[in-house]
Amino acid sequence: MINRNPNIANIKAGYLFPEIAKRRREFAAANPDAKIISLGIGNTTEPILPHTNAGLLGGASALADVKTYSGYADDSAGFTKLREKIAAAFYKDLVEPDEVFVSDGAKCDIGRLQLLFGAEVKVAVQDPSYPVYVDGSVLAGAAGGWEGSGYAGITYLPCTAENNFFPNLDLIPQNSLIYFCSPNNPTGATADRAQLTALVNAAISKGCIIIFDAAYSEFIRDPALPKSIYEIENAKICAIEVNSFSKPAGFTGVRLGWSIVPKALKYASGESVNTDWNRVNNTIFNGASNIAQAGGLAAIDEKGLEEMRALTDFYLGNAKLIRSTLQEMGINCIGGDNSPYIWAHFPGRDSWEVFSEILEKCQVVTTPGAGFGPAGQSFVRFSAFGHRENVEEACRRLKSNFI
Ligand code: PLP
């Protein structure tokens, strides 16, 4: 018999959303009349808008005609036109098309990127953070094995109210891979130019590479806040960026994202990370769906970008409602202004206990902060992904039933 990969047993956070679903099921079984509203997960709820949808339909129709049919691409990095358009639309040509790698989503890219650095690499993550940074590292064996409540190879960088949700960069180990997400999931905090400049400088001085997750960049409304790490000087020698059509275009089920791996980015040996990323992708990935890429092309032409703006405005409208409700209730929170997440503080309380209280009193599902890392304890995340009437009803119930 073949042994199980021992790293699988060490994955922890895969337990968060199934556990929330289990508690929701148990509550529903005990309260069959309850009309439960979920503000728990980051899944999109609104339909894809017409112009972008026409792109998807066109992509599907092209496959049904012998004159326009296409199969595998020669290179898994995506349609040349889409790579060019991403470089122009999102990076104002700060990056070149051959630094853009189109993919089936940011999460998949995050999982594959770890292959570039192997099991020996040290990892630093914001705490709390999107679970795949830690779990992907554990799966790749880079965590250094289970050690009590943490992993020896992973350094947690606490992001708390005390440090305004930006970590102490002195904690970052030399020669490590730094996962950094802004606007952040779960805290909703968005790093400003000075903070990102400090991050880039710290990475360069410590010989680190940043994996910058910008999956929520299209929610940024403050023009002073950088949408990409490449807006920061010298970022191209120390940072990879991942991004996605999932949240701003409603593509969570379509599956389309991209990574940027600059040609100036080198390993300690001087070899090119860009060349290796191309190689890894061509080895274990056969490219994003042709239909999804056709949709992506439509999503970033002039009309598509207007739709993206409308869709993100809609979710930001929900976020504003949730945030103002919590503030009226006297609950301290951040996020929700340049991000679809609101991070609410319940000092001294256990986040699962707060989750249960909100579920019981309001029939609203949230996400307990502790599920995103130790520093998430006593916080709860509210997601703005929901239909407007559900968000309004959830806010009414919070105001009248909670506390
Ligand atoms: N990165 C962050 C921070 C996310 O919150 C999510 C999804 O919730 C993703 C990446 C996943 O993106 P994709 O759907 O492109 O895999």
Side-chain angles (χ1 to χ4, degrees):
M1 294 287 278
I2 291 179
N3 288 330
R4 183 189 192 199
N5 175 351
N7 299 325
I8 294 175
N10 286 335
I11 300 176
K12 251 191 329 187
Y15 127 105
L16 176 62
F17 290 104
E19 178 64 23
I20 291 171
K22 182 174 146 258
R23 292 192 188 206
R24 178 188 171 142
R25 268 196 315 276
E26 284 167 0
F27 180 80
N31 303 274
D33 295 332
K35 289 204 164 42
I36 299 173
I37 296 173
S38 176
L39 301 181
I41 55 172
N43 202 357
T44 47
T45 55
E46 304 309 298
I48 292 170
L49 292 172
H51 178 77
T52 305
N53 191 41
L56 288 168
L57 292 172
S61 298
L63 297 183
D65 185 333
V66 72
K67 292 192 286 298
T68 47
Y69 177 80
S70 59
Y72 292 130
D74 295 337
D75 188 316
S76 69
F79 294 172
T80 305
K81 188 105 194 83
L82 184 56
R83 299 174 82 187
E84 287 167 358
K85 259 182 135 172
I86 288 172
F90 295 118
Y91 300 96
K92 312 270 175 294
D93 294 317
L94 278 173
V95 306
E96 292 171 41
D98 58 357
E99 296 176 315
V100 179
F101 295 81
V102 177
S103 74
D104 52 350
K107 191 179 195 177
C108 321
D109 273 338
I110 293 163
R112 286 189 288 262
L113 277 165
Q114 193 93 37
L115 291 174
L116 294 173
F117 307 101
E120 299 303 313
V121 73
K122 283 177 282 182
V123 171
V125 291
Q126 285 159 298
D127 171 22
S129 68
Y130 182 49
V132 69
Y133 311 144
V134 169
D135 281 354
S137 303
V138 170
L139 204 49
W146 177 256
E147 211 186 51
S149 61
Y151 303 101
I154 296 185
T155 300
Y156 287 88
L157 309 172
C159 297
T160 60
E162 286 71 39
N163 59 21
N164 215 7
F165 302 95
F166 185 79
N168 175 359
L169 302 176
D170 294 341
L171 298 177
I172 297 171
Q174 204 73 22
N175 307 326
S176 57
L177 194 58
I178 307 166
Y179 285 99
F180 197 95
C181 178
S182 177
N184 188 269
N185 177 11
T187 68
T190 307
D192 64 23
R193 191 168 294 279
Q195 289 171 328
L196 291 184
T197 302
L199 176 69
V200 164
N201 290 340
I204 293 170
S205 71
K206 290 173 186 249
C208 300
I209 289 181
I210 303 164
I211 297 183
F212 189 78
D213 187 340
Y216 297 97
S217 59
E218 286 309 298
F219 290 85
I220 293 179
R221 289 293 176 271
D222 180 347
L225 295 173
K227 284 182 157 187
S228 163
I229 192 73
Y230 303 115
E231 292 177 39
I232 307 301
E233 202 180 347
N234 293 328
K236 285 185 100 175
I237 60 169
C238 68
I240 291 169
E241 181 163 305
V242 292
N243 208 323
S244 173
F245 286 86
S246 282
K247 308 300 163 92
F251 273 29
T252 41
V254 175
R255 309 306 306 140
L256 191 68
W258 69 91
S259 58
I260 306 291
V261 182
K263 284 177 282 189
L265 187 67
K266 308 280 188 219
Y267 300 104
S269 61
E271 283 159 300
S272 160
V273 181
N274 175 288
T275 306
D276 274 6
W277 185 227
N278 199 33
R279 190 159 179 193
V280 164
N281 276 318
N282 279 322
T283 305
I284 59 165
F285 177 56
N286 249 341
S289 141
N290 293 350
I291 301 172
Q293 292 193 71
L297 278 169
I300 50 175
D301 62 20
E302 203 183 322
K303 263 206 162 128
L305 288 170
E306 278 168 24
E307 292 184 341
M308 224 180 243
R309 178 82 184 191
L311 206 50
T312 47
D313 272 347
F314 173 82
Y315 290 124
L316 285 168
N318 285 349
K320 200 169 173 188
L321 282 174
I322 298 166
R323 184 174 166 145
S324 59
T325 299
L326 294 169
Q327 283 173 334
E328 277 170 39
M329 292 164 64
I331 296 167
N332 273 331
C333 49
I334 65 149
D337 36 11
N338 296 288
S339 119
Y341 297 118
I342 297 101
W343 190 236
H345 199 188
F346 298 85
R349 296 202 54 194
D350 175 77
S351 60
W352 277 104
E353 188 192 296
V354 178
F355 162 89
S356 296
E357 191 180 332
I358 296 174
L359 180 58
E360 277 154 29
K361 289 186 174 166
C362 312
Q363 290 96 56
V364 171
V365 178
T366 57
T367 310
F372 297 101
Q377 188 54 281
S378 79
F379 285 87
V380 162
R381 188 192 76 174
F382 288 83
S383 160
F385 293 106
H387 301 311
R388 180 61 50 86
E389 64 273 20
N390 288 346
V391 171
E392 285 170 346
E393 173 60 18
C395 288
R396 266 192 296 275
R397 290 187 201 165
L398 282 165
K399 246 195 272 186
S400 56
N401 303 355
F402 192 67
I403 301 180

